[in-house]
């Protein structure tokens, strides 16, 4: 049973993802074209999805909480095995396309203290590039970024849009060691 029906032509103009209750695109489905803080009113669970267009952050708890996972256009017939997830998707956030420059300042300590470095491109290892043991706050001026807890874009990740992030301690104490831009070519 389909919750929403969206014409195929709309994929060209909007970010669009379809969630399915069961693996391999089976069971009830829910079509989503924007942020959704809680799937429970549409689906009992979500074990597969098809990203028709756009880039998305998916979360394993309602209200964009818990572990975050980045999805771009493609089919994810069993994403839980693919990403090693222990919980199914409960909420999602659409990542708007950004065209233009990317700029972010990273800081060694909370509240924009300690060493500061301005970045305009990807960094696969903060320690190697800047001699910083970790990053505890940042100011994203331009673009959308993914930050990872381990070097070389591995481990848990978080999505950062333009804004000031004074402390990462409210993110489960994550210390970010690598970061990359969400490029328009990913859409």
């Amino acid at each position: 049973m389909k919750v929403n029906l969206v014409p195929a032509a709309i994929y060209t103009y909007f970010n669009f993802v379809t969630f399915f209750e069961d693996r391999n695109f089976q069971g009830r489905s829910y079509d989503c074209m924007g942020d959704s803080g809680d799937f429970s009113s549409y689906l009992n669970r979500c074990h597969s999805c098809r990203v028709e267009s756009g880039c998305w952050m998916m979360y394993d708890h309602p209200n964009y909480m818990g572990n975050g996972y980045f999805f771009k256009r493609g089919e994810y017939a069993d994403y839980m095995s693919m990403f090693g997830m222990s919980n199914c998707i409960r909420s999602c956030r659409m990542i708007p396309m950004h065209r233009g420059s990317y700029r972010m300042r990273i800081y060694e300590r909370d509240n924009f203290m300690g060493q500061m470095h301005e970045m305009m491109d990807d960094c696969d290892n903060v320690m190697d590039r800047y001699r910083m043991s970790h990053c505890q706050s940042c100011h994203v001026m331009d673009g959308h970024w993914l930050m990872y807890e381990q070097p070389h874009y591995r481990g848990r990740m978080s999505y950062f849009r333009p804004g000031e992030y004074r402390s990462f301690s409210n993110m489960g104490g994550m210390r970010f060691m690598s970061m990359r831009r969400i490029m328009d070519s990913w859409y």
Side-chain angles (χ1 to χ4, degrees):
M1 178 179 126
K2 202 147 184 67
V3 176
N4 294 336
L5 294 175
V6 178
I10 205 158
Y11 299 152
T12 310
Y13 303 106
F14 297 102
N15 289 340
F16 188 82
V17 62
T18 302
F19 298 99
F20 298 86
E21 280 192 328
D22 299 318
R23 289 171 178 79
N24 299 314
F25 318 110
Q26 300 297 307
R28 289 190 321 156
S29 64
Y30 165 58
D31 293 330
C32 183
M33 293 188 349
D35 296 355
S36 182
D38 190 357
F39 295 166
S40 63
S41 59
Y42 306 110
L43 302 172
N44 293 327
R45 62 192 176 278
C46 175
H47 287 289
S48 60
C49 68
R50 185 175 288 128
V51 178
E52 302 292 346
S53 58
C55 292
W56 300 79
M57 279 303 287
M58 312 291 186
Y59 300 89
D60 60 5
H61 286 86
N63 300 316
Y64 321 110
M65 302 295 284
N67 292 315
Y69 302 89
F70 177 76
F71 286 69
K72 59 185 179 179
R73 187 178 182 154
E75 293 188 344
Y76 302 87
D78 185 8
Y79 65 79
M80 290 180 71
S81 295
M82 190 174 172
F83 290 114
M85 294 173 69
S86 59
N87 224 342
C88 60
I89 294 171
R90 298 286 182 198
S91 59
C92 70
R93 175 162 281 154
M94 180 198 66
I95 301 173
M97 185 184 295
H98 173 77
R99 290 199 172 122
S101 63
Y102 289 78
R103 223 174 73 185
M104 172 172 60
R105 289 186 182 142
I106 59 171
Y107 298 85
E108 183 180 33
R109 295 195 307 251
D110 288 347
N111 294 313
F112 313 123
M113 302 295 287
Q115 272 188 72
M116 183 277 293
H117 296 280
E118 188 164 310
M119 300 177 51
M120 297 174 77
D121 60 355
D122 300 348
C123 175
D124 68 346
N125 193 323
V126 170
M127 180 64 153
D128 287 351
R129 184 182 290 181
Y130 300 119
R131 301 291 181 238
M132 286 175 65
S133 59
H134 56 273
C135 169
Q136 286 293 306
S137 57
C138 73
H139 179 196
V140 177
M141 281 88 71
D142 296 306
H144 299 267
W145 298 74
L146 290 175
M147 295 176 71
Y148 300 80
E149 71 176 343
Q150 296 175 17
H152 308 289
Y153 318 116
R154 291 188 299 203
R156 293 184 300 167
M157 69 177 78
S158 290
Y159 161 59
F160 291 86
R161 54 188 170 193
E164 293 184 347
Y165 301 88
R166 294 186 169 279
S167 175
F168 298 151
S169 60
N170 60 350
M171 298 177 159
M174 286 180 64
R175 294 183 172 190
F176 297 106
M177 297 299 297
S178 57
M179 51 270 318
R180 69 169 29 146
R181 301 161 293 163
I182 300 174
M183 306 293 288
D184 62 349
S185 61
W186 294 5
Y187 290 79

